[in-house]
Amino acid sequence: MRHLIIYAHPNENSLNHHLLSTVVETLQSRNEEIIVRDLYTIGFDPVLSLADMQGQHMGEISDDVRTEQEHISWAERITFIYPIWWTGLPAMMKGYIDRVFSYGFAYRYDQGIQKGLLKGKKTVIINTHGKSHEEYEKTGMDKALTLTSDNGIFIYSGLEIINHLFFDKADKVSAENLDIWKDQIKNLYSEHVLKD
């Protein structure tokens, strides 16, 4: 199976990087095909420019966006790994979505009806955040994240979400919790992501 991992965190020693390594190692142990797009390492430009916007309306895209779209077209499974900052996607990941999930590639309108164009692809989203699950539930932030990212981006584009993992209190993670989370990821990929 062809796996694309889209990763956004600038720190190689971050919790997110540990989780990325866990996903990669799990897939490698099954001899899966893997492409990792580390957006900071490749220097992806997250700024949606006027040229991008004008090009999208004419069906033209820049070379860097074309490369990312080719990776998405290639993939059968897509994993997104990024932290939640200020209750949303980091600028790098948001800019990736803005530029790469463009009209005519990720979605379009037919006679006023929106259609997701990435149907047939399945995704896993892995997020870390500093607050506890209880705090997110109390403020309704858990529902807001589901609406804005799951429904507003991934499902809107036609992706089928296998699972969306939120790892809380990520700024104070213990070795024990990290081991539990890694096992959770390994089990998810073994039991669901690698199944047709």
Side-chain angles (χ1 to χ4, degrees):
M1 198 174 294
R2 299 184 302 274
H3 296 266
L4 174 65
I5 303 170
I6 302 166
Y7 170 76
H9 198 291
N11 186 351
E12 290 184 357
N13 297 312
S14 68
L15 170 60
N16 281 263
H17 202 273
H18 284 293
L19 301 178
L20 168 65
S21 296
T22 301
V23 173
V24 170
E25 288 163 12
T26 302
L27 295 174
Q28 285 176 336
S29 72
R30 301 295 188 94
N31 296 314
E32 300 289 317
E33 292 184 73
I34 311 164
I35 292 175
V36 177
R37 301 303 286 167
D38 181 333
L39 302 184
Y40 284 93
T41 299
I42 66 174
F44 183 79
D45 179 1
V47 178
L48 179 68
S49 68
L50 179 58
D52 285 327
M53 295 172 75
Q54 291 172 335
Q56 287 180 11
H57 289 292
M58 297 183 292
E60 298 173 0
I61 54 173
S62 61
D63 290 342
D64 61 338
V65 169
R66 180 175 291 105
T67 296
E68 301 310 315
Q69 290 182 350
E70 287 171 354
H71 289 311
I72 291 171
S73 295
W74 168 87
E76 297 169 275
R77 301 285 186 272
I78 304 171
T79 299
F80 295 86
I81 303 173
Y82 57 91
I84 298 298
W85 288 342
W86 287 103
T87 67
L89 285 69
M92 180 64 84
M93 184 62 77
K94 179 60 167 63
Y96 180 94
I97 298 295
D98 287 346
R99 295 189 68 215
V100 176
F101 280 46
S102 60
Y103 183 84
F105 174 74
Y107 71 100
R108 74 168 183 257
Y109 292 98
D110 287 342
Q111 299 179 348
I113 299 171
Q114 183 273 335
K115 293 192 176 180
L117 301 179
L118 301 181
K119 288 192 185 310
K121 298 179 186 298
K122 297 183 180 182
T123 190
V124 170
I125 305 106
I126 299 173
N127 291 145
T128 59
H129 56 81
K131 291 192 178 290
S132 68
H133 289 310
E134 292 76 21
E135 288 174 288
Y136 264 43
E137 287 172 10
K138 185 177 178 181
T139 61
M141 196 57 62
D142 56 337
K143 292 181 180 64
L145 284 169
T146 298
L147 283 171
T148 56
S149 65
D150 290 16
N151 293 347
I153 298 171
F154 304 115
I155 294 171
Y156 187 88
S157 300
L159 294 170
E160 178 185 335
I161 298 174
I162 297 171
N163 204 329
H164 190 159
L165 300 173
F166 289 98
F167 295 120
D168 68 340
K169 297 188 256 186
D171 52 343
K172 301 178 188 77
V173 65
S174 66
E176 180 183 2
N177 273 352
L178 182 56
D179 286 341
I180 291 169
W181 294 347
K182 286 181 174 181
D183 285 343
Q184 191 176 346
I185 288 171
K186 289 174 187 174
N187 291 337
L188 171 64
Y189 278 77
S190 297
E191 295 173 13
H192 299 287
V193 179
L194 299 174
K195 308 288 185 195
D196 274 332

